[in-house]
C-alpha cells in the first residue's frame, strides 16, 4: 500500500440536518474513527495506520473478550494475516492447524474435505477468539492506532464535506457523559448488530434464513487433532473444532423459532444437539468448560457498504451463515480492500460516496461468487437427504471434493464450484 502524509484538518463546511445539536463538525479528533475492534476493525485500523494515517479505534468491550464463533478459520485466513503483518503474532499463540473437516449428514454419510494445493496441503487455523481478537487489537496498537476500550458508540452521522461525527460514551460512565468525536471518515466494523449501519439507515430486512448460533467450549473430545467435524441434520448443524490445550469448540446453528421455544440458551443448545444424529453421541462424556454464548439473528444485509464519509467492513457489511466458515477471512480481506480505497480517498482529500465507490466494486469482485456458493450450500442444508446423497458422491470423486476444499478454504475461486460440471459431480448417480 502506498503511504501519504496525513491530510491537514479539513474546513468543516456543512452540517447534515440528521445530526443532533452539539455534533463535532468543527473539530477533528482523528483522521479516521474505526468503530469495533474485532478482526475487521483491528485489521482496517492497522493497515491505515501503517499507511501513515491517524486512526482512533473504539470498542465497547475491554479485551481480551469472548466472541460467539465456531473458531475454525479457513486456510486463506492465514494468508490474509500474513499480508496484514499479524501472522507471526497469531502463530505465537499456538493455534491448532487442522488438515480439513469431516462433513457428516444425518449421522451416517461422511465426506472428508481436505485442503490440497498443488504439491502441498493447506491447513485451517483454530484459536479462541478471545486470544485471536486481542492479538489483532495489539497488532493495531503497535502499528500506531490509538485504541479506546470500553467506549460504546451510540450514533453516527456523516457528510460528504464535513466528514463523520460519532456519539460515544465510556461504558462505565453515566448516560449524561456522552460526547462527540469528529473525523474525516468513520469505519463501521461493529459486527452483526452494527450501530453504524443502523444509524445511517443501511440495514435491510432478512426474511430467510432465520437462525441462531450457539457456541460453547468443552474438554475431553478425542480424535480431533487433524480434522474438525461438521454434523448436519434437519433444522441445523453443529461443528466441532479443535482448540489449543485440549479444548473443543462446539458451534451449533439452529432454527430461531425452535431456539425460542426452548426458553433459554442452555436448553436450546441441548435440544438442538439432541436433534442432530451423531453429534450428541460424539459429545457424550465431554465436560463443559464454559457457558453457552449466542448470536441471533445470524444473517444480515445492508443496502451498500460505503457512502459519504463512511465504510462498513466485516459482519457490519453483511453476513449469511457460518456453515461455510469464511467470516473471519471475509473480515480481514474486506479490511484490506477497505484500507486501500480509504487510503486513496484520504490522500485525494475526497471522502464522498463517489470517491469510495471502488470499495463496493472490489467487494463484489472478491465475494460475490462465494456468496452465491453459500446460497447453494443453504439449499443442501435445507434437505439433509440430498446433502447425504451429494456427500456419498463426493467421497468417490476426489477432484470434486478437493475443489470443494479449495472453495471452502477460500484459496480457490468460488466460481469454479458454480460451474455445471461440479454440480453434476454432486448429483450424478
Ligand atoms: C455462531 C457463529 C459461528 C461462527 N463461526 C465462524 C467460524 O468458525 N469461522 C469463521 O471464520 N467465522 C465464523 N463466524 C463469523 C465470524 O465470527 C464473523 O464473521 C467475524 O467475527 C466478523 O468480524 P468483525 O470484526 O466484523 O465483527 P466482530 O468480531 O463481531 O467484532 C465487532 C466488534 O465491535 C464491537 N462493537 C459492537 N458494537 C459496538 C458499539 N456500538 N460501539 C463500540 N464497539 C462496538 C464489539 O465489541 C466487537 O468487538 C461465526 C459467527 C457466528 C455467529
Amino acid at each position: 500500500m502506498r503511504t501519504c502524509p496525513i491530510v491537514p484538518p479539513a474546513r468543516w463546511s456543512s452540517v447534515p440536518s440528521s445530526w443532533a445539536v452539539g455534533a463535532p463538525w468543527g473539530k477533528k479528533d482523528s483522521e479516521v474513527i474505526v468503530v469495533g475492534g474485532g478482526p475487521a476493525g483491528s485489521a482496517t485500523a492497522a493497515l491505515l495506520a501503517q499507511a501513515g494515517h491517524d486512526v482512533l479505534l473504539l470498542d465497547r468491550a475491554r479485551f481480551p473478550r469472548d466472541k460467539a464463533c465456531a473458531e475454525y478459520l479457513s486456510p486463506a485466513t492465514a494468508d490474509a494475516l500474513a499480508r496484514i503483518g499479524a501472522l507471526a503474532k497469531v502463530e505465537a499463540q499456538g493455534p491448532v492447524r487442522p488438515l480439513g473437516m469431516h462433513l457428516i449428514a444425518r449421522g451416517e454419510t461422511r465426506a472428508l474435505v481436505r485442503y490440497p494445493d498443488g504439491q502441498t496441503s493447506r491447513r485451517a487455523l483454530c484459536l479462541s477468539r478471545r486470544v485471536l481478537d486481542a492479538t489483532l487489537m495489539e497488532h493495531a496498537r503497535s502499528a500506531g492506532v490509538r485504541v479506546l476500550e470500553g467506549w460504546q458508540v451510540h450514533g453516527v452521522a456523516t457528510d460528504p464535506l464535513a466528514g463523520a461525527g460519532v456519539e460515544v460514551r465510556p461504558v462505565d460512565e453515566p448516560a449524561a457523559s456522552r460526547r462527540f468525536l469528529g473525523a474525516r471518515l468513520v469505519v463501521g466494523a461493529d459486527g452483526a448488530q452494527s450501530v453504524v449501519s443502523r444509524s445511517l439507515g443501511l440495514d435491510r430486512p432478512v426474511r430467510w434464513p432465520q437462525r441462531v448460533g450457539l457456541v460453547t467450549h468443552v474438554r475431553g473430545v478425542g480424535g480431533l487433532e487433524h480434522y474438525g467435524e461438521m454434523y448436519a441434520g434437519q433444522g441445523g448443524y453443529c461443528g466441532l473444532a479443535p482448540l489449543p490445550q485440549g479444548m473443543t469448540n462446539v458451534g451449533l446453528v439452529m432454527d430461531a423459532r425452535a431456539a425460542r421455544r426452548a426458553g433459554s440458551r442452555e436448553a436450546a443448545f441441548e435440544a438442538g444437539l439432541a436433534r442432530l444424529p451423531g453429534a450428541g453421541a460424539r459429545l457424550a462424556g465431554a465436560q463443559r468448560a464454559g457457558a453457552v454464548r449466542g448470536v441471533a439473528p445470524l444473517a444480515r444485509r445492508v443496502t451498500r457498504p460505503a457512502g459519504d464519509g463512511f465504510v462498513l467492513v466485516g459482519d457490519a457489511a453483511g453476513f449469511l451463515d457460518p456453515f461455510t466458515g469464511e467470516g473471519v477471512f471475509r473480515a480481514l480481506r474486506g479490511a484490506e480492500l477497505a484500507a486501500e480505497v480509504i487510503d486513496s480517498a484520504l490522500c485525494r482529500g475526497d471522502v464522498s460516496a463517489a470517491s469510495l465507490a471502488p470499495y463496493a466494486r472490489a467487494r463484489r469482485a472478491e465475494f460475490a461468487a462465494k456468496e452465491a456458493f453459500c446460497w447453494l450450500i443453504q439449499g443442501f442444508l435445507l434437505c439433509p437427504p440430498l446433502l447425504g446423497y451429494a456427500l456419498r458422491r463426493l467421497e468417490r470423486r476426489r477432484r470434486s471434493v478437493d475443489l470443494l476444499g479449495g472453495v471452502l478454504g477460500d484459496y480457490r475461486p468460488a466460481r469454479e464450484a458454480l460451474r455445471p460440471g461440479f454440480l453434476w459431480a454432486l448429483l450424478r448417480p
Side-chain angles (χ1 to χ4, degrees):
M1 184 183 288
R2 142 184 85 91
T3 56
C4 70
I6 294 172
V7 181
R11 302 256 340 141
W12 305 94
S13 53
S14 78
V15 177
S17 55
S18 60
W19 190 248
V21 176
W25 300 114
K27 71 185 181 103
K28 189 163 87 56
D29 299 280
S30 178
E31 204 183 0
V32 179
I33 291 178
V34 177
V35 183
S42 287
T44 310
L47 288 167
L48 287 171
Q50 284 160 8
H53 300 287
D54 173 32
V55 185
L56 180 62
L57 173 63
L58 307 170
D59 200 296
R60 65 182 173 199
R62 291 187 198 283
F63 285 61
R65 58 102 177 90
D66 290 313
K67 158 83 179 89
C69 177
E71 296 171 334
Y72 184 98
L73 313 185
S74 62
T77 309
D79 304 348
L81 287 168
R83 289 192 300 271
I84 289 159
L87 182 61
K89 293 174 189 165
V90 171
E91 279 179 334
Q93 304 298 331
V96 180
R97 305 295 307 268
L99 289 159
M101 180 166 278
H102 289 283
L103 298 181
I104 302 149
R106 301 203 297 171
E108 52 199 29
T109 15
R110 335 184 126 220
L112 176 57
V113 177
R114 296 199 199 92
Y115 307 117
D117 192 12
Q119 299 304 308
T120 63
S121 195
R122 295 191 175 220
R123 289 170 181 266
L125 194 151
C126 296
L127 184 64
S128 89
R129 288 290 302 275
R130 192 176 173 80
V131 174
L132 175 77
D133 292 16
T135 306
L136 292 179
M137 181 176 271
E138 212 34 61
H139 176 66
R141 231 185 223 115
S142 66
V145 175
R146 288 178 290 142
V147 180
L148 291 177
E149 298 177 46
W151 282 58
Q152 178 151 5
V153 170
H154 293 272
V156 169
T158 63
D159 177 85
L161 298 172
V166 175
E167 188 182 3
V168 286
R169 178 166 68 84
V171 289
D172 41 17
E173 287 185 17
S177 64
R178 284 190 183 190
R179 57 204 84 171
F180 298 95
L181 300 175
R184 293 179 62 77
L185 178 132
V186 65
V187 175
D190 47 343
Q193 316 291 330
S194 172
V195 164
V196 176
S197 80
R198 198 163 60 243
S199 300
L200 298 175
L202 302 167
D203 288 358
R204 285 172 69 182
V206 176
R207 288 190 182 79
W208 188 87
Q210 292 278 338
R211 298 200 183 112
V212 302
L214 299 167
V215 178
T216 192
H217 288 162
V218 300
R219 287 184 187 283
V221 184
L224 285 172
E225 299 75 24
H226 303 302
Y227 298 102
E229 294 174 11
M230 180 72 93
Y231 295 81
Q234 200 64 52
Y237 60 88
C238 170
L240 306 185
L243 294 176
Q245 280 124 33
M247 297 280 246
T248 298
N249 178 302
V250 185
L252 176 82
V253 170
M254 65 189 288
D255 176 63
R257 272 172 311 181
R260 271 196 300 274
R261 275 199 302 273
S264 71
R265 270 186 208 160
E266 294 281 341
F269 186 77
E270 295 304 332
L273 265 189
R275 291 191 59 190
L276 283 175
R282 183 74 171 91
L283 291 171
Q287 304 98 48
R288 282 279 294 280
V292 174
R293 291 189 303 279
V295 175
L298 284 174
R300 65 177 261 107
R301 298 168 76 195
V302 294
T303 50
R304 59 190 196 283
D308 291 328
F310 76 87
V311 161
L312 302 178
V313 263
D315 285 3
F319 185 71
L320 177 58
D321 185 273
F323 185 87
T324 35
E326 67 275 310
V328 173
F329 169 74
R330 266 172 70 108
L332 298 175
R333 185 71 194 116
E336 291 182 281
L337 302 176
E340 197 170 328
V341 172
I342 294 169
D343 176 46
S344 304
L346 289 172
C347 289
R348 278 195 302 276
D350 177 2
V351 293
S352 66
S355 179
L356 296 166
Y359 175 58
R361 290 197 289 275
R363 283 185 69 91
R364 267 197 302 279
E366 187 76 31
F367 301 134
K370 183 76 185 275
E371 280 168 17
F373 176 75
C374 294
W375 281 107
L376 177 73
I377 295 284
Q378 292 302 314
F380 281 94
L381 285 176
L382 268 185
C383 183
L386 179 64
L387 181 66
Y389 173 90
L391 291 185
R392 268 194 299 279
R393 261 91 212 134
L394 271 181
E395 194 50 14
R396 298 204 306 260
R397 293 170 187 150
R398 207 61 244 170
R399 275 181 54 188
S400 300
V401 80
D402 287 351
L403 170 58
L404 180 65
V407 171
L408 290 176
D410 293 310
Y411 62 91
R412 281 184 74 169
R415 62 174 181 281
E416 291 182 26
L418 296 173
R419 290 187 185 133
F422 177 74
L423 297 178
W424 182 232
L426 291 185
L427 298 176
R428 115 179 109 89

